[in-house]
Amino acid sequence: MPEMKIAFVAGRSPKAQGALEILSHIYPHVSPEEADVLVALGGDGFMLRALHRYLKLKKPVYGMNRGSVGFLMNEFRPDNLLERIRNAASINLHPLRLEAFCVNGERHHALAFNEVSLFRETGQAAHVRVSIDSVVRLEEMVCDGVLVATTAGSTAYNMSAYGPILPLGTGVLALTAISAYRPRRWRGAILPHQASVEIEVLNPQKRPVGATADSTEIRNVLRVKVHEDRSLWSTLLYDPEHNLEERILREQFAH
C-alpha cells in the first residue's frame, strides 16, 4: 500500500496551534496541494472555512476537534492517526449556491455547506415573499429572517431557530422561518434537495435585509436564489464510532 500523504491545516486558537505542533512532530506532512488527505484541526467554524478554501482540491477532509462543540469533527488523539484515516467512513457534502441581487444593482454569488440565511438589518421586521420552483408559496411573511439549511447544517443555526433536524443522505433541505410574526404558526418546510428557492424582499428601502452564506455576508439584497449545487462536493471522513448519522440521531433525543 502506498504511503498516505497528509496535510495539516489548523485554526488560530492556542488549542488548534498546539495540536498542529504535536502532530507535525509525529507525522510526515506535505502541502494541501500535494496531500491525499487534509487533517483539519479546530472547531466547526474552522472546518467550514477549510471546506470552502480547499473545495477545488477535491481532497477528503478528516477533522479533529480543537474547538468547542465539534459536531463535524472527530475526537483529538495524536496516536494511530494514519490507521484512523484508513478506517474512516466518508460522506459527501454538497453546498448550497446563493445568487443575490442587491439594491445597488450588484449581483453576488456564494456557497454554503451549512445554510443560507436572510436577516432584517434594522429594528423593523422583514417582509419577504417565498417561491419554490417559481411557484409562490408564501405571498408575504413578516419575520426576523428565513434560512435554507443542508442536512449537515440542520443541526446548526437551523436547529436553534426550531427547524427540523435532517438525517444525512435523505436528499432534502430545510426552509425555516426565524421568529415569524405572520403567518403566525408557520414553522417552515422540508424541500427536496433539487428544489430552487427564491426569496424576494418586499419594501427593501424601508425594511432592508441582508443575506449570509456560511461566513459570507451580503448587505441590502432585493432577492436571492438558492439551490443545492450537486456538481460540487467535499468529502468528510469520520471515525466509525463517531459518525455524523449517530450524532444527528442523538440530537433529536437530546434533553
Side-chain angles (χ1 to χ4, degrees):
M1 179 181 297
E3 183 177 352
M4 183 190 306
K5 293 183 288 185
I6 58 176
F8 296 116
V9 294
R12 297 180 180 178
S13 71
K15 286 176 65 176
Q17 289 296 310
L20 175 63
E21 184 175 356
I22 291 171
L23 295 173
S24 296
H25 281 90
I26 299 175
Y27 301 99
H29 53 282
V30 298
S31 70
E33 291 74 18
E34 300 174 284
D36 300 312
V37 179
L38 307 182
V39 176
L41 306 168
D44 287 334
F46 178 73
M47 172 62 89
L48 285 175
R49 291 192 294 274
L51 294 179
H52 283 277
R53 180 174 181 179
Y54 301 108
L55 177 62
K56 292 183 179 179
L57 295 182
K58 298 188 182 300
K59 306 289 178 71
V61 183
Y62 181 90
M64 288 205 284
N65 187 25
R66 292 285 81 193
S68 52
V69 178
F71 189 84
L72 298 174
M73 315 299 277
N74 298 289
E75 180 185 354
F76 176 74
R77 296 195 312 269
D79 56 302
N80 301 321
L81 176 58
L82 298 181
E83 181 179 354
R84 289 173 69 187
I85 293 174
R86 290 192 182 98
N87 294 332
S90 66
I91 186 165
N92 290 335
L93 302 182
H94 298 280
L96 299 172
R97 181 173 291 278
L98 165 69
E99 184 178 17
F101 303 83
C102 298
V103 172
N104 62 5
E106 293 181 351
R107 185 166 64 174
H108 298 269
H109 295 267
L111 297 174
F113 283 97
N114 262 5
E115 76 274 324
V116 168
S117 53
L118 273 69
F119 295 97
R120 63 177 184 171
E121 292 184 345
T122 67
Q124 292 186 303
H127 288 216
V128 299
R129 178 180 296 121
V130 180
S131 300
I132 310 298
D133 295 329
S134 301
V135 177
V136 175
R137 296 297 182 180
L138 287 175
E139 187 63 43
E140 182 178 23
M141 178 165 63
V142 181
C143 56
D144 281 352
V146 61
L147 65 85
V148 182
T150 66
T151 52
S154 70
T155 55
Y157 185 42
N158 173 71
M159 184 174 70
S160 300
Y162 301 101
I165 296 176
L166 306 174
L168 295 170
T170 50
V172 294
L173 304 172
L175 177 66
T176 300
I178 303 170
S179 301
Y181 176 72
R182 189 180 298 119
R184 185 73 51 99
R185 292 179 174 80
W186 191 78
R187 289 290 186 178
I190 297 176
L191 308 175
H193 72 84
Q194 66 269 28
S196 177
V197 181
E198 182 170 354
I199 303 170
E200 301 171 74
V201 179
L202 308 177
N203 200 353
Q205 301 295 341
K206 183 180 179 182
R207 301 173 182 273
V209 170
T212 302
D214 285 350
S215 60
T216 300
E217 297 183 0
I218 304 166
R219 306 286 288 184
N220 297 317
V221 299
L222 279 174
R223 62 188 176 97
V224 301
K225 295 181 178 180
V226 183
H227 71 276
E228 186 182 72
D229 191 336
R230 302 291 287 187
S231 71
L232 300 175
W233 69 90
S234 190
T235 302
L236 279 188
L237 302 177
Y238 51 85
D239 297 329
E241 71 276 10
H242 198 60
N243 67 75
L244 286 176
E245 286 94 341
E246 173 61 24
R247 277 175 275 174
I248 286 177
L249 189 60
R250 284 203 306 267
E251 286 290 347
Q252 296 178 78
F253 294 91
H255 296 290

